[in-house]
């Protein structure tokens, strides 16, 4: 069979990647939404395995594949059968593997870091303590110092100033591939550019990603360097032609070709400019509809889409909102976003409390209520003791019955205290340790509570019902999601709600700037931040896209929408 347009574009890009790898040239694969970036990364790894699987092990060398998340790392390792020639880890894990053996230098660098000096002074100096990265947060113990998440990259960057350290990296990892390069820490990428790119004897770097999909503030964004060949992948294996037409109008510099141009679909815009009432005037909400009118607009849009053939269920449609604060109110966990410094800590279940509640405790409670005790103990895993006598069974039954009741009316702290008292089930060690740290903190000493402990204290005060609501959202039983949260995901249909509510985003201004002759230098960062999130949201659907603007859209912004979507695909709701 002849190649589809998307297959041809994909093949051409992959051939250029192979050529760069064969000839020792660093490169950047710019793969737009739906282009199959991960597929290209896996094919590159397979090519390298075939080329180097014999000589690299003899030399004690590996190919590094650096990922942005643990989930991405696990997926890549599974797809290459965990081949020993490939070292795959997150950016922080990779950097720690580089610096962990340099204990003397690390002690000197840590002692010089302002953030550590007060802690070390209280501990009598750094001494000969071992520097480790075992806890994930800063801690000074009798024999060891545990680095925090924010320490690893700066320490690595400092060590990269030393030629010996750079030579050791190059000797150990002749090839380094970086996934989602645009979200990789900007200072770390700058150090790579300064010390490695274009420098003789350096590793070959392959950067895989898309700077239009940078949605995290610390990322480097577009990576441009004279020693890095740009390879555009102009394929889209996700979306139908009407959606890709919109994406190509947004981004003419990287046109995409679809796999099946004949498939039907749609891309529509709904405006609320016809509403004649008073719009919101608060700083972050200026120009948006009042909450009750915005909900009315959403329901009117949903009704219109369903009348036009959309199936708005979690299995078929995602409704994307701007922030977890807006989403959480709809979903029933309005207080949780205010607890955590970073939304990702709980929506990605990176916080140990959230992961325990959502992945262990709640499934176990569901099984207990259903009288499926084998499934309950399976959910609890290895922390469950054997039931050797009737008293054990009675103890478990009483503890679980009380837990189910507490979940319904109590706080997170009530649940934690109950588990700590009954030990049925036992709390994970990491939670027990943090609970002890919180209990031991002297609130009368006049010191500010560490941010990590403050999060725990605030979390304990939240109604546990919000944890249950969060779980319903995380397990996919909700049609709602945030625009940030769907990066990399795809759905049959997508309805994007565009409004205010966060000072970092004003999509009306972004649309105005998109059609301006030039973007002022002082607005470039804000424009790209808004543009990228809008692009990520609009590129999720496979078949149908609709965008509802609850904020007022100016004439200039409407001109941009007309150019992107077409005048026939824009309508104003009769509010």
């Amino acid at each position: 069979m002849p190649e589809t347009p998307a297959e041809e574009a994909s093949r051409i890009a992959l051939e250029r990647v192979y050529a760069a790898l064969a000839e020792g040239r660093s490169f950047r694969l710019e793969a737009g939404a739906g282009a199959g970036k991960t597929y290209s990364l896996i094919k590159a790894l397979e090519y390298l395995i075939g080329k180097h699987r014999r000589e690299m092990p003899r030399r004690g060398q590996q190919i590094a594949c650096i990922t942005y998340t643990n989930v991405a790392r696990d997926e890549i390792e599974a797809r290459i059968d965990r081949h020993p020639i490939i070292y795959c880890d997150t950016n922080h894990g990779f950097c720690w593997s580089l610096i962990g053996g340099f204990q003397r230098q690390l002690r000197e660098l840590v002692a010089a870091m302002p953030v550590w000096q007060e802690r070390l002074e209280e501990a009598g100096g750094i001494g000969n303590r071992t520097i480790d990265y075992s806890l994930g947060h800063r801690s000074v113990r009798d024999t060891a110092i545990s680095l925090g998440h924010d320490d690893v990259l700066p320490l690595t960057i400092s060590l990269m100033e030393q030629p010996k350290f750079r030579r050791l990296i190059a000797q150990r990892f002749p090839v380094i591939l970086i996934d989602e390069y645009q979200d990789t820490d900007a200072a770390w990428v700058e150090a790579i550019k300064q010390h490695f790119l274009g420098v003789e004897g350096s590793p070959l770097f392959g950067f895989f990603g898309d700077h239009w999909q940078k949605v995290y503030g610390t990322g480097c964004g577009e990576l441009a360097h004279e020693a890095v060949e740009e390879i555009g992948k102009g394929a889209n294996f996700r979306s139908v032609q009407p959606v890709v037409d919109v994406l190509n109008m947004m981004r003419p510099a990287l046109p995409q070709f679809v796999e099946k141009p004949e498939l039907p679909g749609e891309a529509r815009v709904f405006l609320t400019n016809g509403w004649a009432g008073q719009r919101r005037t608060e700083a972050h909400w200026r120009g948006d509809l009042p909450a009750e009118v915005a909900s009315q607009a959403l329901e009117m849009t949903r009704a219109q889409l369903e009348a036009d053939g959309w199936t708005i269920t979690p299995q078929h449609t995602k409704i994307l909102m701007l922030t977890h604060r807006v989403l959480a109110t709809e979903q029933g966990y309005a207080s949780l976003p205010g607890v955590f410094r970073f939304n990702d800590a709980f929506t990605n279940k990176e916080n140990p409390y959230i992961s325990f509640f959502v992945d262990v405790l709640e499934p176990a409670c569901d099984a207990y209520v259903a009288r499926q005790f084998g499934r309950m103990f399976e959910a609890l895993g290895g922390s469950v003791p054997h039931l050797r006598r009737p008293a054990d069974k009675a103890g478990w039954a009483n503890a679980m019955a009380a837990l189910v009741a507490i979940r319904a009316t109590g706080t997170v702290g009530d649940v934690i205290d109950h588990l700590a008292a009954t030990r049925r089930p036992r709390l994970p060690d990491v939670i027990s340790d943090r609970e002890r740290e919180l209990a031991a903190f002297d609130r009368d000493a006049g010191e500010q509570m560490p941010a990590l402990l403050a999060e725990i204290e605030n979390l304990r005060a939240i109604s546990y019902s919000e944890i249950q609501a969060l779980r319903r959202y995380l397990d996919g039983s909700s049609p709602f999601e945030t625009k940030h949260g769907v990066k990399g995901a795809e759905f049959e249909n997508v309805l994007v709600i565009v409004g205010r509510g966060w000072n970092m985003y004003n999509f009306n201004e972004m649309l105005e700037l998109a059609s301006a002759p030039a973007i002022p230098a002082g607005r470039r960062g804000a424009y790209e931040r808004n543009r990228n999130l809008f692009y990520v949201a609009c590129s999720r659907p496979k078949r149908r896209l609709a965008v509802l603007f609850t904020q007022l859209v100016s004439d200039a912004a409407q001109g941009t929408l007309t150019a992107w979507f077409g005048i026939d695909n824009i309508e104003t709701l009769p509010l």
Side-chain angles (χ1 to χ4, degrees), residues 271-287:
L271 302 178
T272 59
N273 281 23
W275 189 68
Q278 176 64 47
R279 289 182 178 262
R280 300 180 68 167
T281 57
E282 310 98 299
H284 298 166
W285 291 94
R286 190 179 307 278

Side-chain angles (χ1 to χ4, degrees), residues 304-326:
Q304 180 64 55
L305 294 175
E306 288 178 324
D308 294 341
W310 285 49
T311 302
I312 301 184
T313 63
Q315 294 74 30
H316 297 278
T317 300
K318 276 293 179 184
I319 301 174
L320 306 186
M321 295 183 171
L322 175 60
T323 73
H324 276 289
R325 291 185 183 276
V326 177

Side-chain angles (χ1 to χ4, degrees), residues 65 136 152 207 232 234-235 239 247 268 284 288 300 390 406 436 443 480 523-524 531 569:
C65 179
V152 175
F207 301 93
S239 304
L247 301 181
R268 307 165 63 179
H284 298 166
D288 209 335
M300 188 176 292
I406 292 170
R436 281 192 291 270
R443 291 167 171 78
F480 294 96
R523 301 303 301 159
R524 168 63 63 177
R531 178 203 67 187
N569 295 313

Side-chain angles (χ1 to χ4, degrees), residues 306-461:
E306 288 178 324
D308 294 341
W310 285 49
T311 302
I312 301 184
T313 63
Q315 294 74 30
H316 297 278
T317 300
K318 276 293 179 184
I319 301 174
L320 306 186
M321 295 183 171
L322 175 60
T323 73
H324 276 289
R325 291 185 183 276
V326 177
L327 175 68
T329 301
E330 293 280 344
Q331 293 294 99
Y333 55 92
S335 303
L336 275 175
V339 169
F340 297 95
R341 290 170 294 166
F342 308 106
N343 282 339
D344 289 349
F346 73 95
T347 57
N348 289 345
K349 295 185 288 188
E350 294 173 355
N351 179 276
Y353 285 76
I354 298 300
S355 61
F356 171 65
F357 292 144
V358 171
D359 292 337
V360 178
L361 194 63
E362 283 302 294
C365 289
D366 287 348
Y368 172 79
V369 171
R371 317 302 290 174
Q372 296 176 351
F373 303 117
R375 185 162 66 89
M376 180 187 84
F377 287 124
E378 182 180 345
L380 294 174
S383 63
V384 180
H386 294 295
L387 303 181
R388 295 187 173 89
R389 54 187 185 274
D392 291 337
K393 294 182 180 180
W396 271 98
N398 293 335
M400 291 300 294
L403 174 61
V404 169
I406 292 170
R407 287 162 62 247
T409 59
T411 64
V412 170
D414 293 334
V415 170
I416 291 290
D417 293 342
H418 171 77
L419 296 178
T422 65
R423 297 172 65 83
R424 289 182 170 132
R426 291 182 58 182
L427 289 168
D429 289 344
V430 64
I431 294 180
S432 295
D433 291 344
R434 292 185 181 178
E435 288 293 314
R436 281 192 291 270
E437 289 180 38
L438 179 62
F441 180 77
D442 187 354
R443 291 167 171 78
D444 298 326
E447 295 183 4
Q448 183 176 0
M449 180 179 288
L452 183 63
L453 295 184
E455 281 188 352
I456 296 170
E457 185 166 69
N458 292 334
L459 177 62
R460 287 176 58 88

Side-chain angles (χ1 to χ4, degrees), residues 31 105 111 118 131 144-145 176 280 312 348 350 360 403 466 496 522:
Q105 294 90 335
E118 183 176 345
I131 309 294
I145 289 175
I176 299 176
R280 300 180 68 167
I312 301 184
N348 289 345
E350 294 173 355
V360 178
L403 174 61
E466 294 204 16
V496 184

